[in-house]
Structure formats: structure tokens, C-alpha cells
Amino acid sequence: MGIFRDIGAPGLIVLILGALLIFGPKRLPELGEAIGKMIREFKKSVSGIDLEKDDKTTEDKKRR
């Protein structure tokens, strides 16, 4: 979340207003929901890869 740390409150307000102007008030909740689902799926896939990678490393160490 390093990007959001640099934006600050004024930048966040500008982003929200820009999204509101582009997508409109009716589509904004749908967009937020879609982004939330995308982030959850990404986290699941990344954590699954990390677990498989750790398992393989542990197995390699046991073989040696």
C-alpha cells in the first residue's frame, strides 16, 4: 500500500470525485464490489503459490 501512503487526503478526494464523474453514482458500488472480488481472488492465488513454493523447498531440504 505504498502508493496510497503518498497520495494523501486531497489526492484521495480527487480520485473519488473523478471516479464519481466517470462512472456515475449508480455504477460506483458495482465497480467497488468488482474491485474487491478481484483483490480477494488475487490474494488467494498469491497465498496459494507461496504455500506451494514453501512446501517444495521443505521437501527439497528433507531429501538432502
Side-chain angles (χ1 to χ4, degrees):
M1 292 285 220
I3 295 172
F4 294 114
R5 200 173 338 141
D6 296 336
I7 291 176
L12 191 58
I13 292 171
V14 169
L15 283 174
I16 292 171
L17 289 175
L20 188 60
L21 287 172
I22 292 171
F23 297 107
K26 291 183 180 179
R27 295 234 10 233
L28 208 54
E30 295 171 9
L31 182 66
E33 185 179 348
I35 290 172
K37 285 181 182 179
M38 181 180 65
I39 291 172
R40 278 191 298 260
E41 290 298 319
F42 179 75
K43 284 183 179 181
K44 284 181 187 178
S45 66
V46 168
S47 65
I49 292 171
D50 288 342
L51 292 176
E52 291 172 8
K53 187 177 180 181
D54 290 341
D55 290 342
K56 288 180 182 177
T57 334
T58 307
E59 289 176 13
D60 290 342
K61 288 181 180 177
K62 287 180 183 178
R63 290 181 187 165
R64 293 180 185 172

